[in-house]
């Protein structure tokens, strides 16, 4: 059956709620369906005590979900925009992520925080950020960023069953993307990347919205005779270096693409690891494609100019020594 | 403050119409796909903006929220520049960088609007602190919705403002909803003004659809602020006649509820008042028509305005010239 | 709850002494450089811990703050394991990972202590939500200081707890200071209980140095919670006889102020009460001596306990075995 | 005159307050001298309206300082521990950093946020973090992390005069360090690294507390005949790549050391840039030394085991091909 990203998230939530009575949803407007309709109908089906509207209190609802997770619930919290996760950083970083360690292994926090990120359509500087780099810097968290509806379906279910705190980042540009969901899909393991498309000349590492850009780029590159392999990381923390190593050992060229600001973005960590662990495999410098150093502007013309896309990937690959014009 | 003349009231009537028609225009532009992002209209809440801002000078500063068009216009910002910003044009207030939720017009004392609920409150308090510290007499005003009272920042700011006696006016537009969630569902506190009591902050809950009430209460509040008796929390009960944002299907509220509130439209209500005071229907129609023409002209010009040049996208990240164009 | 027998009261007297002497021991260890970090003692605030925790079972959960030793002991955690944790030893409650500010004893319902002021409040509310959602009868208690009321998280949590009618007891130990800053300087709200009013949360301000008052008020509050009439905000006026942390020179308050409060010591006060009720001085001395021996033994053993093995430092970052030892 | 780090910070603040009436201090307990005594005596000297105690309201005081900076003050805000900056992220990231850009250049935020970071002596997981990597990912901010008293003096003064928002990170382990301050010190420019010690075999890039570790390491390395050059970055954002490039072009080997968690740490960005911009200069992979992936434990034995130090630098350098045993 064909599902949009939004519908498939709803389906995953619905199934997990049916499967496990401990799963509870909470967040602003979630009982009314949420700002993007992801939770539409779930309050009607599972009851308003399991799908709870909250006040606009990002800090407290994150604490609430964490406290509940310590005591037997498996909350799925929606933070409407990742930009508002800025209000929940104390809890997420100082409490949620560290609970197991600080308690010497006594407690755990089986919590999923769903949030939505990325730029699209003039949401402007406070509703468009890609902040995943902050969270991969925090021991104790798991960070997942699916690149398609089917991936989101499996990853969300795996996240809910994991038993450790997960930040689950949905890209607003993918929400309307549609895919066919097979009936007997196997749930993807946390921490394993996937090869989206095989290739031999260059490895394109991407995640979330940028996987689509990589796919676009690959078409153009194929036209000029360049064969690119695409890795969708899926899980950013932990990072699947084995899959990356296998690919780079074959292609000897890497480009990393993400929408986040380049400086201090997750791409830096990937590039640093490749530069260190695969030094001898590299024929050319690792290239990063990402957002230049500015907030996301409101005007579409500016937004478009700032955001990285398929053309940036194509251009960067074609500048690689040995692949060039 | 001198009592307004009938002419002053007529100006306020016009100001309300400008906002109403401006929002209608934004709605039309948005429906036509010409507005980036998701604009939040203040339709139905005009009396609050106009009644409060009537008391402010250019030196007084204002910080608003995601629903801020009306406040900015009432403060005196240019219709065309404001609309151009909402359309993302180069000659918009913020050169197209900010947009509907982030209007800034520094010369006019509009110092910001934040898309993060309650994010503006402490900024407004800070502006008030600066005025206090520098011995200036100007005040600072923060507009926010009832939903913002769920945010910790609101309470932290009340405490600070009370403790430091800051000349800041907190104006809550309690429209009964935070997005699709009714006030009852996000708080069991009916009146936002109740939050003032622990701090002994002066407060009042008024009918925010009654321009006369807003004007009078704001006068009182601002008078206290100018005499160092701040802060003040003014709760204006109102209703947004539009959806949460343009495109909101409003399934969370009934047609009857909407209809009931249409009857309480602040503009119609003030019109009846002016007629009672002897202003001719024709004159009022002419004022409305004038506002319509103003908005129309602003819309035509804003729409014709140039889009920002993509090559300028990295400008103004920093003030210091030494930091120009850094990549990190 | 049945009225406590004289024997029960004597147990509470002993519990207060255990805390007092425990803190004295921590102080000595700290002075000798044996306590890592900066321990915050609860000396002088024992009646709150004991009077509240007397009503809690192992199933009831508790979240405390940086000043939590007393609460954890009053809840029934092992003296030696608690002290070993504060010394950073392997057989401490958290295997030396947590320390003084982060005591967890899950089996005993001590679910956490946060070094970030007010960080524990929403966690406690969450635990209460879990109990409510799962139809359990246990309650959740959060201990915090008056300084925490400056934090937005406090207010966000009150709103949520009231709205969802959570069985959570908020116990504020109002000791008049946040670090070196007096209550007057960080808030113009004298009584923390005033914050309950807007939410119609049940509340009371009591003398937190009067064990009888604490016991009775906590009984009342907890009874409401167990009958789904929560939440409750209990403000206990008290005073810390020690510095903010061990080593604090306390220049921000006078010798007279300290002396005045020494006279209000909750233990001495309760001792007088027990004597009035006919308990012999000798018996009370024996209880004190018993507590002293307990603490002494715990101290000797805790100090002799092994230090954590450095090779285990990367354990327990995650629960999932699949995530064991990841480097990012 | 000899000053400790704490004393010299006080002196810099005192001088800037004297020089410019717009400079105001605020923060928890600052009028009482602050938790570490940095502001001791300043309230007495400059008045309690210019040195203001605040409630425990990290979010609001950051907003307050930002709003005041928009309106003519030059606030210096103290956030007692960087771990509590988690409570101020909305303001710092969504408002403070973006104000100039979002207003199209109308406004600016001349604000310095002083904070204290790093692990020492069992402060445990919530009072020991090094979170600079989050902030260098935010366009609009400047991030400074001095490595010695004299550096702190000059950099703090430069920061106060800059006119853009600065996060000024002080390492708690350096607070007792003492140095002689010359009378006529020239203020260091923002964005320029300094060579702490020249060398030819390997470049050690460090900042904040790790510069001391690098200095220690250099002694040991010298004993085995390895000549190491130390760069103290001083300003992390913007990053002085020119100084790095000059050094690496000479040594052809790089080690980056910071106390922060390695994964997603600032070292990743530096390594990624070197790997990309100086690819052909590198004889060996860029090596990063930092904190392994765990929260900071309380027990000193564990804290010591986790924290990176001079020995880790020495060991890593000696493992570099061509420099080894
Ligand atoms: C911190 C934060 N959380 C959530 C949102 C999403 N959001 C935008 S407007 C809104 C409702 C605000 O309600 P209210 O304050 O009453 O203002 P109104 O829209 O009614 O004018 C929400 C939840 C946000 N912008 N910021
Ligand atoms: C969010 C946060 N800000 C600042 C601090 C530093 N700090 C530790 S204890 C304290 C004072 C707390 O006062 P109160 O809540 O009254 O508790 P008390 O120490 O009096 O028991 C402060 C400011 C902190 N731990 N957390
Ligand atoms: Mg509202
Ligand atoms: Mg206190």
């Amino acid at each position: 059956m064909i599902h949009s990203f939004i519908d498939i998230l709803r389906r995953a939530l619905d199934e997990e709620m049916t499967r496990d009575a401990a799963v509870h949803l909470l967040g602003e407007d979630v009982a009314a369906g949420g700002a993007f309709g992801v939770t539409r109908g779930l309050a009607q089906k599972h009851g308003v005590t399991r799908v709870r509207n909250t006040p606009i209190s990002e800090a407290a609802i994150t604490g609430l979900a964490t406290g509940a997770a310590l005591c037997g619930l498996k909350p799925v919290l929606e933070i409407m925009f990742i930009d508002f996760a800025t209000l929940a950083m104390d809890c997420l970083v100082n409490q949620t992520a560290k609970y197991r360690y600080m308690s010497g292994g006594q407690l755990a926090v089986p919590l999923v925080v769903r949030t939505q990120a990325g730029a699209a359509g003039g949401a402007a500087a406070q509703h468009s950020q890609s902040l995943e780099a902050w969270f991969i810097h925090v021991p104790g968290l798991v960070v997942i960023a699916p690149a398609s509806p089917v991936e989101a379906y499996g990853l969300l279910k795996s996240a809910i069953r994991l038993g450790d705190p997960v930040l689950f980042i949905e890209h607003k540009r993918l929400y309307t993307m549609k895919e066919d969901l097979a009936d007997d899909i196997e749930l993807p393991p946390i921490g394993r990347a996937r090869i989206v498309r095989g290739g031999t000349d260059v490895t394109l590492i991407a995640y979330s919205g940028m996987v689509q850009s990589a796919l676009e780029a690959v078409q153009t590159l194929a036209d000029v005779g360049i064969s690119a392999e695409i890795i969708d990381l899926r899980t950013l923390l932990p990072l699947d270096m084995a899959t990356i190593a296998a690919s780079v050992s074959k292609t000897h060229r890497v480009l990393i693409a993400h929408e986040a600001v380049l400086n201090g973005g997750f791409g830096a960590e990937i590039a640093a690891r490749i530069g260190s662990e695969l030094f001898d495999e590299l024929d050319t410098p690792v290239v990063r494609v990402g957002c230049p150093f500015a907030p996301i502007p409101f005007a579409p013309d500016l937004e478009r100019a700032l955001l990285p896309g398929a053309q940036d990937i194509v251009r960067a690959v074609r500048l690689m020594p040995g692949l060039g014009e | 403050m001198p009592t307004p003349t009938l002419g002053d009231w007529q100006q306020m009537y016009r100001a309300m119409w400008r906002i109403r028609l401006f929002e209608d225009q934004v709605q039309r532009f948005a429906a036509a796909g010409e507005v980036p992002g998701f604009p939040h209209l203040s339709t139905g809440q005009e009396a609050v903006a106009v009644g409060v801002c009537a008391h402010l000078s250019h030196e007084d500063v204002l910080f608003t929220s995601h629903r801020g068009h009306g406040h900015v216009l009432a403060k005196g910002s240019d219709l065309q520049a404001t609309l151009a910003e909402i359309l993302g044009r180069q000659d918009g207030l913020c050169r197209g960088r900010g947009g509907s939720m982030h209007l800034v017009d520094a010369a006019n004392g509009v110092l910001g609007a934040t898309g993060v609920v309650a994010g503006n409150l402490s900024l407004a308090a800070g502006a008030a602190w600066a005025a206090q510290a520098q011995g200036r007499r100007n005040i600072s005003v923060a507009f926010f919705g009832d939903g913002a009272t769920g945010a910790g920042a609101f309470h932290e700011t009340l405490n600070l403002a009370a403790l430091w006696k800051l000349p800041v006016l907190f104006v809550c537009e309690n429209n009964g909803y935070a997005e699709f969630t009714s006030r009852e569902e996000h708080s069991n506190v009916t009146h936002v003004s109740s939050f003032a009591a622990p701090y002994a902050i002066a407060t009042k809950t008024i009918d925010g659809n009654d321009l006369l009430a807003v004007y009078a209460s704001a006068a009182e509040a601002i008078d206290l602020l100018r005499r160092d008796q701040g802060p003040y929390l003014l709760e204006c009960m109102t209703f947004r006649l539009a959806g949460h944002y343009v495109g909101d299907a409003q399934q969370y509220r009934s047609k009857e509820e909407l209809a009931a509130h249409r009857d309480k439209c602040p503009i119609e209500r003030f019109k009846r008042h002016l007629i009672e005071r002897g202003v001719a229907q024709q004159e009022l129609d002419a004022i409305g028509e004038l506002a319509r023409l103003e908005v129309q002209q602003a819309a035509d010009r804003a729409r014709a305005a140039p889009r920002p040049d993509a090559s300028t996208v990295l400008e103004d990240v920093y003030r210091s010239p030494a930091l120009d164009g850094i990549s990190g």
Side-chain angles (χ1 to χ4, degrees), chain A residues 28-29 56 58 80-81 84 87 127, chain B residues 40 45 65-67 101 115-118 144-149 173 175 177-179 186 240 244:
Chain A
E28 292 152 23
D29 300 305
I56 306 174
E58 278 78 7
M80 207 183 283
F81 287 77
F84 311 154
L87 292 155
H127 288 72
Chain B
H40 304 79
Q45 307 185 180
S65 70
H66 58 286
R67 201 177 302 288
M101 284 197 279
V116 185
V117 167
F144 60 104
D146 50 308
T149 62
E173 295 179 298
N175 61 11
Y177 287 91
E179 293 210 342
H186 71 77
R240 65 168 152 74
H244 172 63

Side-chain angles (χ1 to χ4, degrees), chain A residues 122-125 297-299, chain B residues 35-37 39 65-66 69 72 82-89 92-104 113:
Chain A
F298 169 70
Chain B
V35 182
S65 70
H66 58 286
H69 304 169
V72 173
T82 307
L83 197 48
E85 184 59 31
I86 294 168
L87 293 174
R89 303 307 168 101
L93 288 175
C94 309
R95 300 170 58 220
R97 271 71 177 163
S100 160
M101 284 197 279
H102 307 295
L103 300 171
V104 172

